[in-house]
Amino acid sequence: MKYKIKDQSTKFKYGLSNVEQLVEFLNNNADPAVAFVGRSNVGKSSLINAIYGSKTARVSNTPGRTREINVFEFEIISEDKATIQKCILFDLPGYGHAEVSKQMSKQWNELMNAFFGTLRPNCLIINIQDARHPAQDSDKEFLDYLNNFEISAVMALNKMDKLKTQKERAQLQKELPKLSKLYKHMRQFYFVSAETKKGCDELLFAITSFLLNLK
Ligand code: GDP
C-alpha cells in the first residue's frame, strides 16, 4: 500500500518559543510526529518544502534567525483512502550559527531540553547534515546531546546535487560508519537534495512508515 501526505493538509499551527507552552502542547498531543533539525543553512526549510509543499517553511536568507519551534499539522492518506492519520511536523530552530548571542543559545538550550525531555517515543527526528561536509563540530555536539534522550532518529544528508563526482560520493559512503557512531540510535541514512528532490521520496517513505507504525 502506498501512502502520501494528503494534498493541502499541512497547516501551520503555532510558533512556540516559550518552554511552558511547548511542554503543555507536547503533554496534550499524542499524535505521531516528525521533527526536522539541523545546522543553520543546511537546507532544513528547503527540505521541508520539498516534502510538504513549496510554501510550508520559510527559506531564510538570515541563518539562525528563527528561534521558535514551528508546529504544523498534516495528514497521511493511503492510496485507497482507507487510512487517514493526523500527524505533527516540528520545524526546530537551527543550531550552530556563529553569530547567535549567548542569550539566544541559552534560550535554544532551554527549549531543546524541554522538547527532547518531554517528547513521546512516537516522534521521528530527522537530523539534516550537509552531504559535502557532514559531522561539523556543531553537528557532533548536537548528536552528543541527543544521546541523552531515548528517541528515534534518521539522518538526511542534503545538498547531494553538489557532490558532482563519483569520488566525492564514494568519500561520503566511507564516512557513514563514523557518522553512525556519533549517534547510537541513528536508524538510517538518506541521501537527498532539496533542490532536485532526489531521494525525497525515500525519506518520505521512511517518515510515513514510522508515523503509521509500519516498522
Ligand atoms: P535552513 O537555514 O537550514 O532552513 O536552510 P534553507 O532551506 O534556508 O537553505 C539555505 C540555502 O541552501 C538556500 O540558499 C537554499 O537554496 C540552499 N539549499 C537548500 N537545499 C539545497 C540543496 O539540496 N541543494 C542545493 N544546491 N542548495 C540547497
Side-chain angles (χ1 to χ4, degrees), residues 38-49 57-66 91 94 128 132 157-162 164 192-197:
R39 204 156 45 83
S40 298
N41 223 27
V42 72
K44 174 176 54 80
S45 307
S46 306
L47 189 58
I48 291 174
N49 288 341
R58 189 170 50 93
V59 175
S60 156
N61 293 321
T62 321
R65 216 178 58 184
T66 324
D91 176 4
I128 307 147
R132 293 168 299 172
L157 291 146
N158 188 36
K159 308 199 183 181
M160 280 300 287
D161 59 292
K162 295 210 178 189
K164 301 279 186 214
V192 299
S193 165
E195 184 111 332
T196 65
K197 297 204 177 180

PDB file of all heavy atoms in Angstrom, residues 38-49 57-66 91 94 128 132 157-162 164 192-197, ligand 1:
ATOM      1  N   GLY A  38      18.667  20.730  12.139  1.00  0.00           N
ATOM      2  CA  GLY A  38      19.996  20.705  11.516  1.00  0.00           C
ATOM      3  C   GLY A  38      20.711  22.025  11.726  1.00  0.00           C
ATOM      4  O   GLY A  38      20.125  22.978  12.261  1.00  0.00           O
ATOM      5  N   ARG A  39      21.955  22.049  11.289  1.00  0.00           N
ATOM      6  CA  ARG A  39      22.751  23.262  11.378  1.00  0.00           C
ATOM      7  C   ARG A  39      22.089  24.345  10.527  1.00  0.00           C
ATOM      8  O   ARG A  39      21.515  24.055   9.469  1.00  0.00           O
ATOM      9  CB  ARG A  39      24.148  22.949  10.822  1.00  0.00           C
ATOM     10  CG  ARG A  39      25.261  23.809  11.288  1.00  0.00           C
ATOM     11  CD  ARG A  39      26.583  23.058  11.150  1.00  0.00           C
ATOM     12  NE  ARG A  39      26.713  22.367   9.879  1.00  0.00           N
ATOM     13  CZ  ARG A  39      27.113  22.945   8.756  1.00  0.00           C
ATOM     14  NH1 ARG A  39      27.397  24.238   8.725  1.00  0.00           N
ATOM     15  NH2 ARG A  39      27.233  22.237   7.657  1.00  0.00           N
ATOM     16  N   SER A  40      22.158  25.603  10.984  1.00  0.00           N
ATOM     17  CA  SER A  40      21.585  26.709  10.222  1.00  0.00           C
ATOM     18  C   SER A  40      22.145  26.667   8.806  1.00  0.00           C
ATOM     19  O   SER A  40      23.347  26.439   8.615  1.00  0.00           O
ATOM     20  CB  SER A  40      21.986  28.041  10.843  1.00  0.00           C
ATOM     21  OG  SER A  40      21.475  28.124  12.126  1.00  0.00           O
ATOM     22  N   ASN A  41      21.275  26.879   7.833  1.00  0.00           N
ATOM     23  CA  ASN A  41      21.671  26.960   6.433  1.00  0.00           C
ATOM     24  C   ASN A  41      21.915  25.604   5.752  1.00  0.00           C
ATOM     25  O   ASN A  41      22.368  25.565   4.620  1.00  0.00           O
ATOM     26  CB  ASN A  41      22.925  27.833   6.285  1.00  0.00           C
ATOM     27  CG  ASN A  41      22.803  28.771   5.112  1.00  0.00           C
ATOM     28  OD1 ASN A  41      21.688  29.130   4.728  1.00  0.00           O
ATOM     29  ND2 ASN A  41      23.919  29.136   4.525  1.00  0.00           N
ATOM     30  N   VAL A  42      21.615  24.525   6.449  1.00  0.00           N
ATOM     31  CA  VAL A  42      21.855  23.196   5.873  1.00  0.00           C
ATOM     32  C   VAL A  42      20.787  22.840   4.827  1.00  0.00           C
ATOM     33  O   VAL A  42      20.937  21.890   4.058  1.00  0.00           O
ATOM     34  CB  VAL A  42      21.921  22.131   6.999  1.00  0.00           C
ATOM     35  CG1 VAL A  42      20.541  21.852   7.597  1.00  0.00           C
ATOM     36  CG2 VAL A  42      22.567  20.847   6.519  1.00  0.00           C
ATOM     37  N   GLY A  43      19.712  23.653   4.822  1.00  0.00           N
ATOM     38  CA  GLY A  43      18.635  23.406   3.866  1.00  0.00           C
ATOM     39  C   GLY A  43      17.419  22.765   4.501  1.00  0.00           C
ATOM     40  O   GLY A  43      16.621  22.129   3.826  1.00  0.00           O
ATOM     41  N   LYS A  44      17.256  22.995   5.801  1.00  0.00           N
ATOM     42  CA  LYS A  44      16.114  22.396   6.528  1.00  0.00           C
ATOM     43  C   LYS A  44      14.776  22.884   5.951  1.00  0.00           C
ATOM     44  O   LYS A  44      13.904  22.072   5.647  1.00  0.00           O
ATOM     45  CB  LYS A  44      16.217  22.728   8.021  1.00  0.00           C
ATOM     46  CG  LYS A  44      15.010  22.285   8.840  1.00  0.00           C
ATOM     47  CD  LYS A  44      15.209  22.548  10.309  1.00  0.00           C
ATOM     48  CE  LYS A  44      15.564  23.969  10.641  1.00  0.00           C
ATOM     49  NZ  LYS A  44      14.408  24.896  10.672  1.00  0.00           N
ATOM     50  N   SER A  45      14.651  24.202   5.795  1.00  0.00           N
ATOM     51  CA  SER A  45      13.388  24.741   5.270  1.00  0.00           C
ATOM     52  C   SER A  45      13.157  24.238   3.850  1.00  0.00           C
ATOM     53  O   SER A  45      12.027  23.872   3.497  1.00  0.00           O
ATOM     54  CB  SER A  45      13.420  26.269   5.262  1.00  0.00           C
ATOM     55  OG  SER A  45      13.772  26.749   6.526  1.00  0.00           O
ATOM     56  N   SER A  46      14.223  24.199   3.059  1.00  0.00           N
ATOM     57  CA  SER A  46      14.080  23.742   1.667  1.00  0.00           C
ATOM     58  C   SER A  46      13.629  22.289   1.628  1.00  0.00           C
ATOM     59  O   SER A  46      12.800  21.911   0.794  1.00  0.00           O
ATOM     60  CB  SER A  46      15.412  23.865   0.916  1.00  0.00           C
ATOM     61  OG  SER A  46      15.912  25.176   1.007  1.00  0.00           O
ATOM     62  N   LEU A  47      14.178  21.472   2.540  1.00  0.00           N
ATOM     63  CA  LEU A  47      13.815  20.050   2.560  1.00  0.00           C
ATOM     64  C   LEU A  47      12.359  19.863   3.007  1.00  0.00           C
ATOM     65  O   LEU A  47      11.627  19.061   2.434  1.00  0.00           O
ATOM     66  CB  LEU A  47      14.779  19.286   3.476  1.00  0.00           C
ATOM     67  CG  LEU A  47      14.669  17.768   3.451  1.00  0.00           C
ATOM     68  CD1 LEU A  47      14.893  17.209   2.049  1.00  0.00           C
ATOM     69  CD2 LEU A  47      15.682  17.137   4.417  1.00  0.00           C
ATOM     70  N   ILE A  48      11.964  20.631   4.023  1.00  0.00           N
ATOM     71  CA  ILE A  48      10.560  20.570   4.463  1.00  0.00           C
ATOM     72  C   ILE A  48       9.640  20.959   3.300  1.00  0.00           C
ATOM     73  O   ILE A  48       8.653  20.287   3.017  1.00  0.00           O
ATOM     74  CB  ILE A  48      10.331  21.479   5.700  1.00  0.00           C
ATOM     75  CG1 ILE A  48      11.053  20.894   6.918  1.00  0.00           C
ATOM     76  CG2 ILE A  48       8.837  21.651   5.984  1.00  0.00           C
ATOM     77  CD1 ILE A  48      11.025  21.773   8.154  1.00  0.00           C
ATOM     78  N   ASN A  49      10.028  22.013   2.590  1.00  0.00           N
ATOM     79  CA  ASN A  49       9.201  22.445   1.458  1.00  0.00           C
ATOM     80  C   ASN A  49       9.175  21.408   0.343  1.00  0.00           C
ATOM     81  O   ASN A  49       8.141  21.211  -0.302  1.00  0.00           O
ATOM     82  CB  ASN A  49       9.720  23.781   0.911  1.00  0.00           C
ATOM     83  CG  ASN A  49       9.426  24.934   1.859  1.00  0.00           C
ATOM     84  OD1 ASN A  49       8.564  24.813   2.730  1.00  0.00           O
ATOM     85  ND2 ASN A  49      10.142  26.030   1.714  1.00  0.00           N
ATOM     86  N   ALA A  57       7.630  25.812   4.921  1.00  0.00           N
ATOM     87  CA  ALA A  57       8.593  26.507   5.785  1.00  0.00           C
ATOM     88  C   ALA A  57       9.219  27.657   5.006  1.00  0.00           C
ATOM     89  O   ALA A  57       9.328  27.611   3.792  1.00  0.00           O
ATOM     90  CB  ALA A  57       9.667  25.525   6.243  1.00  0.00           C
ATOM     91  N   ARG A  58       9.607  28.654   5.725  1.00  0.00           N
ATOM     92  CA  ARG A  58      10.218  29.825   5.097  1.00  0.00           C
ATOM     93  C   ARG A  58      11.691  29.528   4.802  1.00  0.00           C
ATOM     94  O   ARG A  58      12.422  29.067   5.663  1.00  0.00           O
ATOM     95  CB  ARG A  58      10.118  30.994   6.080  1.00  0.00           C
ATOM     96  CG  ARG A  58      10.487  32.340   5.563  1.00  0.00           C
ATOM     97  CD  ARG A  58      10.077  33.388   6.591  1.00  0.00           C
ATOM     98  NE  ARG A  58      10.563  33.020   7.930  1.00  0.00           N
ATOM     99  CZ  ARG A  58      11.710  33.441   8.433  1.00  0.00           C
ATOM    100  NH1 ARG A  58      12.496  34.230   7.745  1.00  0.00           N
ATOM    101  NH2 ARG A  58      12.079  33.079   9.649  1.00  0.00           N
ATOM    102  N   VAL A  59      12.121  29.786   3.580  1.00  0.00           N
ATOM    103  CA  VAL A  59      13.554  29.642   3.277  1.00  0.00           C
ATOM    104  C   VAL A  59      14.200  30.974   3.603  1.00  0.00           C
ATOM    105  O   VAL A  59      13.853  31.998   3.056  1.00  0.00           O
ATOM    106  CB  VAL A  59      13.805  29.244   1.807  1.00  0.00           C
ATOM    107  CG1 VAL A  59      15.293  29.210   1.494  1.00  0.00           C
ATOM    108  CG2 VAL A  59      13.169  27.895   1.529  1.00  0.00           C
ATOM    109  N   SER A  60      15.132  30.921   4.522  1.00  0.00           N
ATOM    110  CA  SER A  60      15.611  32.155   5.112  1.00  0.00           C
ATOM    111  C   SER A  60      16.954  32.580   4.532  1.00  0.00           C
ATOM    112  O   SER A  60      17.807  31.758   4.234  1.00  0.00           O
ATOM    113  CB  SER A  60      15.754  31.928   6.618  1.00  0.00           C
ATOM    114  OG  SER A  60      16.671  32.826   7.157  1.00  0.00           O
ATOM    115  N   ASN A  61      17.114  33.880   4.367  1.00  0.00           N
ATOM    116  CA  ASN A  61      18.431  34.393   3.969  1.00  0.00           C
ATOM    117  C   ASN A  61      19.214  34.837   5.188  1.00  0.00           C
ATOM    118  O   ASN A  61      20.335  35.275   5.096  1.00  0.00           O
ATOM    119  CB  ASN A  61      18.268  35.578   3.015  1.00  0.00           C
ATOM    120  CG  ASN A  61      17.683  35.119   1.707  1.00  0.00           C
ATOM    121  OD1 ASN A  61      18.035  34.052   1.205  1.00  0.00           O
ATOM    122  ND2 ASN A  61      16.767  35.900   1.164  1.00  0.00           N
ATOM    123  N   THR A  62      18.603  34.767   6.342  1.00  0.00           N
ATOM    124  CA  THR A  62      19.264  35.182   7.578  1.00  0.00           C
ATOM    125  C   THR A  62      19.418  33.962   8.468  1.00  0.00           C
ATOM    126  O   THR A  62      18.539  33.662   9.264  1.00  0.00           O
ATOM    127  CB  THR A  62      18.424  36.251   8.326  1.00  0.00           C
ATOM    128  OG1 THR A  62      17.876  37.123   7.373  1.00  0.00           O
ATOM    129  CG2 THR A  62      19.242  36.991   9.353  1.00  0.00           C
ATOM    130  N   PRO A  63      20.524  33.227   8.296  1.00  0.00           N
ATOM    131  CA  PRO A  63      20.652  31.980   9.042  1.00  0.00           C
ATOM    132  C   PRO A  63      20.562  32.193  10.544  1.00  0.00           C
ATOM    133  O   PRO A  63      21.060  33.186  11.059  1.00  0.00           O
ATOM    134  CB  PRO A  63      22.043  31.474   8.667  1.00  0.00           C
ATOM    135  CG  PRO A  63      22.449  32.231   7.462  1.00  0.00           C
ATOM    136  CD  PRO A  63      21.698  33.512   7.477  1.00  0.00           C
ATOM    137  N   GLY A  64      19.919  31.280  11.212  1.00  0.00           N
ATOM    138  CA  GLY A  64      19.897  31.316  12.671  1.00  0.00           C
ATOM    139  C   GLY A  64      18.893  32.275  13.268  1.00  0.00           C
ATOM    140  O   GLY A  64      18.878  32.495  14.464  1.00  0.00           O
ATOM    141  N   ARG A  65      18.050  32.862  12.426  1.00  0.00           N
ATOM    142  CA  ARG A  65      17.142  33.857  12.984  1.00  0.00           C
ATOM    143  C   ARG A  65      15.947  33.243  13.712  1.00  0.00           C
ATOM    144  O   ARG A  65      15.525  33.765  14.735  1.00  0.00           O
ATOM    145  CB  ARG A  65      16.654  34.785  11.863  1.00  0.00           C
ATOM    146  CG  ARG A  65      16.500  36.210  12.347  1.00  0.00           C
ATOM    147  CD  ARG A  65      16.072  37.127  11.251  1.00  0.00           C
ATOM    148  NE  ARG A  65      14.821  36.696  10.647  1.00  0.00           N
ATOM    149  CZ  ARG A  65      14.263  37.294   9.610  1.00  0.00           C
ATOM    150  NH1 ARG A  65      14.849  38.325   9.065  1.00  0.00           N
ATOM    151  NH2 ARG A  65      13.136  36.859   9.101  1.00  0.00           N
ATOM    152  N   THR A  66      15.440  32.142  13.163  1.00  0.00           N
ATOM    153  CA  THR A  66      14.240  31.565  13.778  1.00  0.00           C
ATOM    154  C   THR A  66      14.598  30.883  15.082  1.00  0.00           C
ATOM    155  O   THR A  66      15.387  29.961  15.108  1.00  0.00           O
ATOM    156  CB  THR A  66      13.603  30.519  12.838  1.00  0.00           C
ATOM    157  OG1 THR A  66      13.760  30.981  11.533  1.00  0.00           O
ATOM    158  CG2 THR A  66      12.143  30.310  13.157  1.00  0.00           C
ATOM    159  N   ASP A  91       9.233  21.903  13.119  1.00  0.00           N
ATOM    160  CA  ASP A  91      10.373  22.529  12.437  1.00  0.00           C
ATOM    161  C   ASP A  91      11.188  23.194  13.544  1.00  0.00           C
ATOM    162  O   ASP A  91      10.793  24.230  14.080  1.00  0.00           O
ATOM    163  CB  ASP A  91       9.804  23.537  11.422  1.00  0.00           C
ATOM    164  CG  ASP A  91      10.883  24.338  10.716  1.00  0.00           C
ATOM    165  OD1 ASP A  91      12.082  24.071  10.951  1.00  0.00           O
ATOM    166  OD2 ASP A  91      10.519  25.241   9.937  1.00  0.00           O
ATOM    167  N   GLY A  94      17.417  26.029  13.931  1.00  0.00           N
ATOM    168  CA  GLY A  94      18.748  25.527  13.562  1.00  0.00           C
ATOM    169  C   GLY A  94      19.779  25.752  14.650  1.00  0.00           C
ATOM    170  O   GLY A  94      19.631  26.653  15.471  1.00  0.00           O
ATOM    171  N   ILE A 128      19.337  16.779   9.713  1.00  0.00           N
ATOM    172  CA  ILE A 128      19.827  17.103   8.370  1.00  0.00           C
ATOM    173  C   ILE A 128      21.275  17.571   8.480  1.00  0.00           C
ATOM    174  O   ILE A 128      21.591  18.435   9.305  1.00  0.00           O
ATOM    175  CB  ILE A 128      18.964  18.219   7.732  1.00  0.00           C
ATOM    176  CG1 ILE A 128      17.492  17.819   7.778  1.00  0.00           C
ATOM    177  CG2 ILE A 128      19.386  18.489   6.295  1.00  0.00           C
ATOM    178  CD1 ILE A 128      16.578  19.005   7.937  1.00  0.00           C
ATOM    179  N   ARG A 132      28.236  17.489   1.754  1.00  0.00           N
ATOM    180  CA  ARG A 132      29.614  17.856   1.358  1.00  0.00           C
ATOM    181  C   ARG A 132      30.551  17.843   2.552  1.00  0.00           C
ATOM    182  O   ARG A 132      31.720  17.562   2.428  1.00  0.00           O
ATOM    183  CB  ARG A 132      29.640  19.260   0.727  1.00  0.00           C
ATOM    184  CG  ARG A 132      28.929  19.336  -0.584  1.00  0.00           C
ATOM    185  CD  ARG A 132      28.752  20.774  -0.989  1.00  0.00           C
ATOM    186  NE  ARG A 132      27.948  21.502   0.007  1.00  0.00           N
ATOM    187  CZ  ARG A 132      27.750  22.803  -0.001  1.00  0.00           C
ATOM    188  NH1 ARG A 132      28.301  23.554  -0.939  1.00  0.00           N
ATOM    189  NH2 ARG A 132      27.002  23.379   0.922  1.00  0.00           N
ATOM    190  N   LEU A 157      21.246  13.427   4.523  1.00  0.00           N
ATOM    191  CA  LEU A 157      22.419  14.150   4.022  1.00  0.00           C
ATOM    192  C   LEU A 157      21.974  14.952   2.808  1.00  0.00           C
ATOM    193  O   LEU A 157      21.694  14.397   1.742  1.00  0.00           O
ATOM    194  CB  LEU A 157      23.536  13.158   3.708  1.00  0.00           C
ATOM    195  CG  LEU A 157      24.096  12.546   5.001  1.00  0.00           C
ATOM    196  CD1 LEU A 157      24.530  11.114   4.822  1.00  0.00           C
ATOM    197  CD2 LEU A 157      25.227  13.398   5.555  1.00  0.00           C
ATOM    198  N   ASN A 158      21.867  16.254   3.010  1.00  0.00           N
ATOM    199  CA  ASN A 158      21.263  17.136   1.999  1.00  0.00           C
ATOM    200  C   ASN A 158      22.322  17.773   1.093  1.00  0.00           C
ATOM    201  O   ASN A 158      23.512  17.721   1.385  1.00  0.00           O
ATOM    202  CB  ASN A 158      20.438  18.216   2.708  1.00  0.00           C
ATOM    203  CG  ASN A 158      19.614  19.052   1.737  1.00  0.00           C
ATOM    204  OD1 ASN A 158      19.108  18.541   0.727  1.00  0.00           O
ATOM    205  ND2 ASN A 158      19.469  20.340   2.017  1.00  0.00           N
ATOM    206  N   LYS A 159      21.858  18.361   0.017  1.00  0.00           N
ATOM    207  CA  LYS A 159      22.690  19.027  -0.998  1.00  0.00           C
ATOM    208  C   LYS A 159      23.536  18.016  -1.768  1.00  0.00           C
ATOM    209  O   LYS A 159      24.659  18.303  -2.180  1.00  0.00           O
ATOM    210  CB  LYS A 159      23.568  20.143  -0.376  1.00  0.00           C
ATOM    211  CG  LYS A 159      22.771  21.145   0.478  1.00  0.00           C
ATOM    212  CD  LYS A 159      23.466  22.466   0.723  1.00  0.00           C
ATOM    213  CE  LYS A 159      22.640  23.349   1.634  1.00  0.00           C
ATOM    214  NZ  LYS A 159      23.195  24.663   1.919  1.00  0.00           N
ATOM    215  N   MET A 160      22.985  16.805  -1.947  1.00  0.00           N
ATOM    216  CA  MET A 160      23.687  15.769  -2.706  1.00  0.00           C
ATOM    217  C   MET A 160      23.993  16.226  -4.135  1.00  0.00           C
ATOM    218  O   MET A 160      24.956  15.774  -4.734  1.00  0.00           O
ATOM    219  CB  MET A 160      22.850  14.477  -2.748  1.00  0.00           C
ATOM    220  CG  MET A 160      22.924  13.628  -1.505  1.00  0.00           C
ATOM    221  SD  MET A 160      24.575  13.042  -1.072  1.00  0.00           S
ATOM    222  CE  MET A 160      24.852  11.796  -2.314  1.00  0.00           C
ATOM    223  N   ASP A 161      23.147  17.136  -4.665  1.00  0.00           N
ATOM    224  CA  ASP A 161      23.391  17.617  -6.037  1.00  0.00           C
ATOM    225  C   ASP A 161      24.739  18.322  -6.162  1.00  0.00           C
ATOM    226  O   ASP A 161      25.277  18.466  -7.251  1.00  0.00           O
ATOM    227  CB  ASP A 161      22.251  18.564  -6.460  1.00  0.00           C
ATOM    228  CG  ASP A 161      22.113  19.760  -5.531  1.00  0.00           C
ATOM    229  OD1 ASP A 161      21.716  19.574  -4.354  1.00  0.00           O
ATOM    230  OD2 ASP A 161      22.411  20.880  -5.936  1.00  0.00           O
ATOM    231  N   LYS A 162      25.292  18.747  -5.012  1.00  0.00           N
ATOM    232  CA  LYS A 162      26.591  19.435  -5.056  1.00  0.00           C
ATOM    233  C   LYS A 162      27.765  18.462  -5.077  1.00  0.00           C
ATOM    234  O   LYS A 162      28.912  18.876  -5.248  1.00  0.00           O
ATOM    235  CB  LYS A 162      26.715  20.392  -3.875  1.00  0.00           C
ATOM    236  CG  LYS A 162      25.714  21.531  -3.944  1.00  0.00           C
ATOM    237  CD  LYS A 162      26.255  22.764  -3.289  1.00  0.00           C
ATOM    238  CE  LYS A 162      25.271  23.902  -3.421  1.00  0.00           C
ATOM    239  NZ  LYS A 162      25.844  25.172  -2.995  1.00  0.00           N
ATOM    240  N   LYS A 164      29.455  16.288  -7.197  1.00  0.00           N
ATOM    241  CA  LYS A 164      29.378  16.099  -8.656  1.00  0.00           C
ATOM    242  C   LYS A 164      30.072  14.811  -9.112  1.00  0.00           C
ATOM    243  O   LYS A 164      29.657  14.211 -10.085  1.00  0.00           O
ATOM    244  CB  LYS A 164      30.022  17.288  -9.384  1.00  0.00           C
ATOM    245  CG  LYS A 164      29.388  18.630  -9.055  1.00  0.00           C
ATOM    246  CD  LYS A 164      28.117  18.868  -9.847  1.00  0.00           C
ATOM    247  CE  LYS A 164      27.588  20.275  -9.619  1.00  0.00           C
ATOM    248  NZ  LYS A 164      26.150  20.362  -9.626  1.00  0.00           N
ATOM    249  N   VAL A 192      19.817  13.024   0.036  1.00  0.00           N
ATOM    250  CA  VAL A 192      18.749  13.824  -0.565  1.00  0.00           C
ATOM    251  C   VAL A 192      19.271  15.127  -1.163  1.00  0.00           C
ATOM    252  O   VAL A 192      20.383  15.585  -0.842  1.00  0.00           O
ATOM    253  CB  VAL A 192      17.639  14.165   0.482  1.00  0.00           C
ATOM    254  CG1 VAL A 192      16.989  12.911   1.032  1.00  0.00           C
ATOM    255  CG2 VAL A 192      18.176  15.020   1.612  1.00  0.00           C
ATOM    256  N   SER A 193      18.461  15.690  -2.023  1.00  0.00           N
ATOM    257  CA  SER A 193      18.693  17.048  -2.483  1.00  0.00           C
ATOM    258  C   SER A 193      17.353  17.758  -2.457  1.00  0.00           C
ATOM    259  O   SER A 193      16.435  17.366  -3.183  1.00  0.00           O
ATOM    260  CB  SER A 193      19.268  17.057  -3.906  1.00  0.00           C
ATOM    261  OG  SER A 193      19.149  18.357  -4.448  1.00  0.00           O
ATOM    262  N   ALA A 194      17.259  18.777  -1.619  1.00  0.00           N
ATOM    263  CA  ALA A 194      16.011  19.552  -1.565  1.00  0.00           C
ATOM    264  C   ALA A 194      15.828  20.294  -2.882  1.00  0.00           C
ATOM    265  O   ALA A 194      14.713  20.569  -3.305  1.00  0.00           O
ATOM    266  CB  ALA A 194      16.061  20.531  -0.397  1.00  0.00           C
ATOM    267  N   GLU A 195      16.964  20.593  -3.519  1.00  0.00           N
ATOM    268  CA  GLU A 195      16.929  21.362  -4.775  1.00  0.00           C
ATOM    269  C   GLU A 195      16.347  20.535  -5.923  1.00  0.00           C
ATOM    270  O   GLU A 195      15.451  20.983  -6.617  1.00  0.00           O
ATOM    271  CB  GLU A 195      18.354  21.793  -5.118  1.00  0.00           C
ATOM    272  CG  GLU A 195      18.452  22.665  -6.317  1.00  0.00           C
ATOM    273  CD  GLU A 195      18.852  24.078  -5.971  1.00  0.00           C
ATOM    274  OE1 GLU A 195      18.566  24.547  -4.840  1.00  0.00           O
ATOM    275  OE2 GLU A 195      19.463  24.709  -6.846  1.00  0.00           O
ATOM    276  N   THR A 196      16.863  19.308  -6.106  1.00  0.00           N
ATOM    277  CA  THR A 196      16.391  18.482  -7.235  1.00  0.00           C
ATOM    278  C   THR A 196      15.300  17.504  -6.793  1.00  0.00           C
ATOM    279  O   THR A 196      14.693  16.843  -7.621  1.00  0.00           O
ATOM    280  CB  THR A 196      17.537  17.641  -7.824  1.00  0.00           C
ATOM    281  OG1 THR A 196      17.961  16.689  -6.826  1.00  0.00           O
ATOM    282  CG2 THR A 196      18.733  18.498  -8.218  1.00  0.00           C
ATOM    283  N   LYS A 197      15.087  17.400  -5.471  1.00  0.00           N
ATOM    284  CA  LYS A 197      14.120  16.463  -4.856  1.00  0.00           C
ATOM    285  C   LYS A 197      14.564  15.006  -4.937  1.00  0.00           C
ATOM    286  O   LYS A 197      13.797  14.094  -4.584  1.00  0.00           O
ATOM    287  CB  LYS A 197      12.715  16.619  -5.446  1.00  0.00           C
ATOM    288  CG  LYS A 197      12.125  17.990  -5.179  1.00  0.00           C
ATOM    289  CD  LYS A 197      10.624  17.950  -5.228  1.00  0.00           C
ATOM    290  CE  LYS A 197      10.036  19.316  -4.886  1.00  0.00           C
ATOM    291  NZ  LYS A 197       8.603  19.363  -4.909  1.00  0.00           N
TER     292      LYS A 197
HETATM  293  P1  GDP B   1      17.889  26.374   6.649  1.00  0.00           P
HETATM  294  O1  GDP B   1      18.540  27.575   7.296  1.00  0.00           O
HETATM  295  O2  GDP B   1      18.515  25.107   7.116  1.00  0.00           O
HETATM  296  O3  GDP B   1      16.395  26.351   6.735  1.00  0.00           O
HETATM  297  O4  GDP B   1      18.298  26.435   5.095  1.00  0.00           O
HETATM  298  P2  GDP B   1      17.473  26.963   3.835  1.00  0.00           P
HETATM  299  O5  GDP B   1      16.419  25.981   3.439  1.00  0.00           O
HETATM  300  O6  GDP B   1      17.067  28.374   4.092  1.00  0.00           O
HETATM  301  O7  GDP B   1      18.605  26.845   2.699  1.00  0.00           O
HETATM  302  C1  GDP B   1      19.848  27.515   2.819  1.00  0.00           C
HETATM  303  C2  GDP B   1      20.435  27.697   1.424  1.00  0.00           C
HETATM  304  O8  GDP B   1      20.813  26.419   0.882  1.00  0.00           O
HETATM  305  C3  GDP B   1      19.461  28.310   0.426  1.00  0.00           C
HETATM  306  O9  GDP B   1      20.186  29.191  -0.413  1.00  0.00           O
HETATM  307  C4  GDP B   1      18.933  27.109  -0.363  1.00  0.00           C
HETATM  308  O10 GDP B   1      18.537  27.453  -1.677  1.00  0.00           O
HETATM  309  C5  GDP B   1      20.172  26.190  -0.369  1.00  0.00           C
HETATM  310  N1  GDP B   1      19.816  24.759  -0.471  1.00  0.00           N
HETATM  311  C6  GDP B   1      18.992  24.079   0.354  1.00  0.00           C
HETATM  312  N2  GDP B   1      18.919  22.775  -0.006  1.00  0.00           N
HETATM  313  C7  GDP B   1      19.716  22.632  -1.095  1.00  0.00           C
HETATM  314  C8  GDP B   1      20.071  21.512  -1.941  1.00  0.00           C
HETATM  315  O11 GDP B   1      19.637  20.365  -1.775  1.00  0.00           O
HETATM  316  N3  GDP B   1      20.977  21.771  -2.939  1.00  0.00           N
HETATM  317  C9  GDP B   1      21.491  22.999  -3.161  1.00  0.00           C
HETATM  318  N4  GDP B   1      22.363  23.131  -4.174  1.00  0.00           N
HETATM  319  N5  GDP B   1      21.181  24.066  -2.400  1.00  0.00           N
HETATM  320  C10 GDP B   1      20.300  23.887  -1.377  1.00  0.00           C
END
